[in-house]
Amino acid sequence: QVQLVESGGGMVQAGDSLRLSCAASGRTFSTYAMGWFRQGPGKQRDFVAAINWSGEVTFYDDSVKGRFTVSRDNAKSSTYLQMNSLKPEDTADYYCAAHRSGDIMLLLRGPDYWGQGTEVTVSS
C-alpha cells in the first residue's frame, strides 16, 4: 500500500506562485506515474498534470499549460507541482495521485492511489 501526503497549499493572491509537494511512502515510487488533480467548489475532480515514472514525459491540462510545472525526485520519493501566475479559477483542493504502471495515460484513466488533498485559494 502506498500513502501519498500533499503539502504546500495556502491562500495567495492572483499572480502569485505556490509549490505543492507530494511525499510517497513505499519502495517502488520510482516506478509509478504521478499526477495532480483538483476539485473546485461544487465541481468534479479534474486532471491537472502528470509525469511518467522516469520524469521524461509530462502532460498538462490546457488550462494550466505554461503556468504549472510538474516534476519529481525519485531519490526523495516526491513529486511537485510548481504553480505560477495563479488565477482565482485555480482555487481548488489539489490531490496527488499515482499509478503503479508508470504510464501517464493509465493514470488519467484511474489512479491506483490518492492523497488526502491540500487546499489552494487564489483571491482576486
Side-chain angles (χ1 to χ4, degrees):
Q1 185 71 12
V2 172
Q3 289 188 324
L4 304 175
V5 180
E6 302 96 334
S7 60
M11 297 180 63
V12 297
Q13 293 187 328
D16 286 349
S17 298
L18 274 177
R19 187 191 194 211
L20 304 183
S21 299
C22 173
S25 65
R27 295 174 291 177
T28 55
F29 173 83
S30 62
T31 67
Y32 293 160
M34 300 298 298
W36 292 92
F37 293 72
R38 66 186 180 186
Q39 187 167 13
K43 298 181 180 179
Q44 66 181 17
R45 191 174 296 187
D46 292 327
F47 167 74
V48 175
I51 187 166
N52 78 327
W53 66 274
S54 68
E56 294 177 349
V57 180
T58 57
F59 186 62
Y60 298 92
D61 182 75
D62 286 344
S63 65
V64 305
K65 277 182 183 177
R67 299 189 298 124
F68 290 11
T69 302
V70 61
S71 62
R72 66 189 297 156
D73 185 339
N74 286 344
K76 295 183 178 179
S77 296
S78 294
T79 189
Y80 309 98
L81 186 67
Q82 178 66 42
M83 306 186 295
N84 298 331
S85 302
L86 282 162
K87 304 175 181 179
E89 51 263 44
D90 295 319
T91 294
D93 291 326
Y94 283 72
Y95 296 88
C96 178
H99 198 283
R100 291 187 297 260
S101 71
D103 186 277
I104 287 178
M105 291 302 110
L106 293 179
L107 174 72
L108 265 61
R109 292 179 189 175
D112 292 320
Y113 305 106
W114 289 98
Q116 83 289 349
T118 186
E119 186 174 357
V120 173
T121 303
V122 185
S123 60
S124 57

